[in-house]
Amino acid sequence: MPWLKGRDKAMAKMSDSNLEKSTIIQKAIASCCGAIITSLFVTPLDVIKTRLQAQSNPFSKGKCFVYSNGLMDHICVCENGDSKAWYKKSGHFKGMLDAFVKIIQIEGIKSLWSGLPPTLIMALPTTVIYFTCYDQLSEALKSRLGKDDEHIPVLAGALSRFGSVTVVSPLELIRTRMQYRKLSYKQLYTCVSSKVATDGWFSLWRGWSSTVLRDVPFSAMYWYNYERFKKMMCKEVGAHEPTFFIAFTSGAASGSIAAVITLPFDVVKTHRQTELWESETLKIPQRDCTSTWAVMRKIVAKNGITGLFAGFRAS
C-alpha cells in the first residue's frame, strides 16, 4: 500500500521539523506541501502500473480500477471504448522501466502525472484534515496523559484517520458518480437527493467500513512505531532532536510494517469498492454477501491465503 506509507513518511518528517509553537495554519500548509511532494513522486508509479494493466487486460466501458496519487485511493470508472482517456492510450511495454522510458519519449514527461489534478481536489483536504487533527489530538492527549505516554500516537493516529475518512467518504462517492455520469452540479444534486430519499443518508457512506478497517489500524500502527523507532534511534546516537535520517528511517520502517499487516484489508477494500461501482455502472445485481469478512472468505476460497496479500511487493 505505497500511497499510505509514502504520504505518512513525508508528513511525519515535516511534522518533526516544525517548531513547537507552530500555528494550525502553518501545520496545515506544511501538510499540504508534503502532500504535493508525495503525489509528484508516487503518481508516476501508479500511472505506469495502470497502463501495464490496461495493456494486458484492456478496460471496457463501465469497468473500474483504483488510481492512487500517493495520498489516497480513487475509484475510476472507465469511459466508452473510443475514448482518448490516458489509460486507454496504446503502448507496447515490456515492463515498468520500459514503460517509463517510452511514455516520456513518445507522450512527454507530463503523461507520468496523467489524471492527477482532479484527484488532488479530494486528496489535499483529506491530508490536511488528517495531519492537523493528529497534531491537535496529540497535544491535547499529552496535556492529559503526559507527553511520554505510549498510547498517545495510537489514539491520535486512529481517531484522526477515522475522522478524515468519515468526512471525505461521501465527497469521494459524489466525485466518482459525477466523473462517470458526466453530471452538471444541478443534475448531481438531484441524483444525490434521490439516492438519500430512497436509501437514506447512510447510503452516502457506501464502502466506508472497508476503508476504515484498513486505514485506522494502519494509522495507529504507523504512528506508534514511528514515535517508538524515532526515540530509540535518538537515544542510540545521542541526539536530542531527530535528524532527517532518523525521521526517514523511522517512517520507512513503521510504514512497511503497517502496510504488510493491513494489506489483507487493502485487498478487500479494493475488491469491495470496485465491485460496488461496477454493479452500478454495469447494472449487475449486487450479491447479498458483501461484508468485509464475506469478501475475505471468497478471496481465500478462490486464490488461497496468498490472495489476501496480492500486491505485496508494491506495498
Side-chain angles (χ1 to χ4, degrees):
M1 194 161 31
W3 65 275
L4 279 168
K5 180 170 67 178
R7 179 185 64 185
D8 283 5
K9 282 191 290 186
M11 296 301 102
K13 284 183 284 184
M14 284 205 165
S15 178
D16 286 332
S17 64
N18 284 341
L19 296 173
E20 287 185 7
K21 294 183 180 179
S22 296
T23 64
I24 293 177
I25 292 179
Q26 287 173 325
K27 290 178 179 179
I29 292 172
S31 298
C32 195
C33 292
I36 292 172
I37 292 169
T38 301
S39 66
L40 292 177
F41 276 101
V42 176
T43 298
L45 300 176
D46 204 69
V47 167
I48 292 171
K49 181 202 74 174
T50 303
R51 294 286 295 274
L52 289 170
Q53 287 177 342
Q55 177 179 277
S56 59
N57 187 21
F59 298 132
S60 57
K61 182 180 179 181
K63 294 292 287 183
C64 301
F65 66 92
V66 176
Y67 178 94
S68 173
N69 58 14
L71 306 174
M72 63 184 290
D73 290 344
H74 300 270
I75 295 293
C76 292
V77 183
C78 297
E79 299 168 14
N80 55 41
D82 59 354
S83 171
K84 294 182 180 179
W86 63 269
Y87 50 83
K88 287 183 177 290
K89 289 181 180 178
S90 60
H92 302 285
F93 310 128
K94 297 176 182 177
M96 289 200 71
L97 183 59
D98 185 55
F100 182 80
V101 173
K102 285 183 177 177
I103 288 173
I104 292 176
Q105 289 179 340
I106 299 171
E107 303 172 21
I109 195 168
K110 289 195 295 184
S111 292
L112 292 175
W113 288 274
S114 299
L116 176 61
T119 64
L120 288 178
I121 295 172
M122 293 299 305
L124 287 180
T126 304
T127 304
V128 170
I129 291 170
Y130 171 45
F131 284 98
T132 303
C133 286
Y134 177 80
D135 283 336
Q136 296 303 306
L137 283 169
S138 293
E139 292 301 318
L141 289 169
K142 283 176 184 178
S143 64
R144 289 177 173 271
L145 304 177
K147 65 178 182 177
D148 296 322
D149 195 299
E150 292 188 348
H151 296 95
I152 290 174
V154 177
L155 292 171
L159 290 172
S160 57
R161 180 72 76 184
F162 181 89
S164 63
V165 168
T166 302
V167 169
V168 173
S169 187
L171 300 179
E172 175 63 12
L173 183 142
I174 290 169
R175 184 202 67 83
T176 308
R177 179 169 281 113
M178 193 173 185
Q179 175 232 333
Y180 89 85
R181 287 192 181 179
K182 306 294 183 186
L183 301 174
S184 67
Y185 286 105
K186 185 176 181 180
Q187 291 171 323
L188 179 65
Y189 175 77
T190 304
C191 179
V192 172
S193 299
S194 61
K195 183 73 174 174
V196 171
T198 304
D199 302 324
W201 282 101
F202 286 114
S203 63
L204 296 179
W205 279 266
R206 189 178 67 167
W208 171 86
S209 60
S210 55
T211 304
V212 165
L213 279 172
R214 181 196 65 179
D215 288 6
V216 171
F218 179 95
S219 226
M221 283 186 280
Y222 175 86
W223 287 108
Y224 174 77
N225 287 319
Y226 174 74
E227 297 293 347
R228 190 176 181 184
F229 291 158
K230 198 171 60 173
K231 287 179 182 178
M232 287 170 57
M233 293 182 72
C234 283
K235 186 177 180 182
E236 190 69 26
V237 300
H240 294 292
E241 293 294 331
T243 62
F244 175 84
F245 176 77
I246 290 174
F248 181 86
T249 306
S250 300
S254 56
S256 299
I257 292 169
V260 171
I261 293 174
T262 58
L263 186 56
F265 292 107
D266 183 49
V267 172
V268 170
K269 182 248 183 189
T270 301
H271 189 280
R272 281 194 72 193
Q273 290 199 334
T274 53
E275 196 174 66
L276 281 167
W277 276 106
E278 285 176 0
S279 70
E280 182 168 329
T281 58
L282 301 175
K283 308 302 179 184
I284 301 172
Q286 185 66 45
R287 294 178 183 138
D288 293 334
C289 295
T290 57
S291 70
T292 298
W293 307 112
V295 172
M296 195 174 283
R297 286 196 298 270
K298 185 169 71 174
I299 292 172
V300 171
K302 184 178 180 181
N303 303 313
I305 195 70
T306 55
L308 294 175
F309 292 89
F312 173 74
R313 288 184 182 181
S315 68

